Amino acid sequence: MSTALVEQLHQGLTDAVADPGVRAVVLGHSGGTFCAGADLAEAAGRDPGELAVDRAHEMTRLLRRILELPIPVVGAIDGHVRAGGLGLVGACDIVVAGPQSTFALTEARIGVAPSIISLTLLPRMTSRAAARYFVTGEKFGAAVAAEIGLITIAADDVDASVAALTTAIGKASPQGLAASKALTTASILASFDRQADELTTQSAELFVSEEAREGMMAFLEKREPKWVRTARP
């Protein structure tokens, strides 16, 4: 998830809202990965602190944009979803995931935390599931994702399921869709706005920490991290 990709997503959402014929946005992917999270290689040549702040604000802004969009956003996934990609999943109104889908919250393994994306994940996931997957970084599939509330439907045929959903959505009026979606996102947005500044700051601070630098270098170099600090409560 690079800065360029985030801006392209914003433009796509802007274009969708501007088109009076659009009733739904489908957020899909090409290849075997829906979203692998932040583009760690993008840090090259930039001040780490400045980059961390910029990226944190980018993510917060994008997730809120999806939540407040007056058009339903449907996630269509049949591939890998990691880290920040799960924030996008949480922000979508409806999510269909296929048999090739895998999910994992791997932030703790590189010395950070799912700070910003918790704004969209915690309202969706069961508290027990969040307590497990936030800290273990375990991989799980579509069936488990549906069971814990992360996605809406675990489907064998993602395209067919999404087509059925968008056909149903297409029967609604623009006003009806906007008002109905707002009912489902109001409490999430209220919580989002209460915590966004604090968690955006936390995310930026974690990403420039000593532990995170080691964790990200280990990831890029494909080696085990050498943690220099002991675990803290």
Side-chain angles (χ1 to χ4, degrees):
M1 190 181 293
S2 65
T3 297
L5 176 60
V6 170
E7 291 308 314
Q8 288 165 2
L9 285 170
H10 275 293
Q11 188 59 55
L13 298 175
T14 297
D15 293 344
V17 172
D19 187 337
V22 171
R23 294 291 181 274
V25 170
V26 176
L27 186 59
H29 63 101
S30 59
T33 298
F34 172 74
C35 180
D39 182 0
L40 300 183
E42 194 177 50
R46 288 196 58 186
D47 174 77
E50 177 185 313
L51 177 66
V53 170
D54 287 349
R55 296 300 295 276
H57 282 290
E58 284 174 2
M59 176 58 86
T60 305
R61 177 171 162 251
L62 178 60
L63 296 183
R64 198 184 193 289
R65 180 80 188 284
I66 294 172
L67 287 169
E68 69 180 359
L69 204 75
I71 301 170
V73 179
V74 180
I77 302 167
D78 201 16
H80 306 306
V81 189
R82 298 291 183 271
L86 276 89
L88 295 177
V89 173
C92 289
D93 301 289
I94 302 171
V95 182
V96 179
Q100 303 305 311
S101 302
T102 66
F103 304 83
L105 288 149
T106 54
E107 286 86 345
R109 296 186 178 186
I110 61 168
V112 295
S115 305
I116 295 170
I117 64 173
S118 71
L119 293 166
T120 60
L121 290 179
L122 293 180
R124 307 289 194 191
M125 300 173 67
T126 66
S127 60
R128 284 297 185 188
R132 173 179 177 175
Y133 293 113
F134 271 45
V135 300
T136 64
E138 293 172 284
K139 184 170 66 175
F140 55 94
V144 171
E147 181 183 336
I148 65 177
L150 177 62
I151 67 168
T152 313
I153 301 170
D156 291 330
D157 188 330
V158 173
D159 290 343
S161 294
V162 170
L165 287 165
T166 54
T167 296
I169 292 169
K171 297 177 180 179
S173 76
Q175 175 178 275
L177 286 175
S180 297
K181 170 174 174 170
L183 292 172
T184 69
T185 58
S187 62
I188 301 175
L189 281 167
S191 175
F192 192 108
D193 290 340
R194 284 195 304 271
Q195 302 177 76
D197 287 346
E198 177 185 353
L199 292 176
T200 300
T201 299
Q202 180 191 81
S203 177
E205 291 176 347
L206 287 172
F207 266 91
V208 296
S209 68
E210 188 176 348
E211 285 191 15
R213 283 195 294 272
E214 168 59 18
M216 284 185 270
M217 284 303 299
F219 174 82
L220 292 171
E221 295 171 359
K222 295 180 171 53
R223 61 173 173 81
E224 289 296 315
K226 300 174 182 177
W227 303 124
V228 297
R229 297 184 181 180
T230 57
R232 299 179 300 280

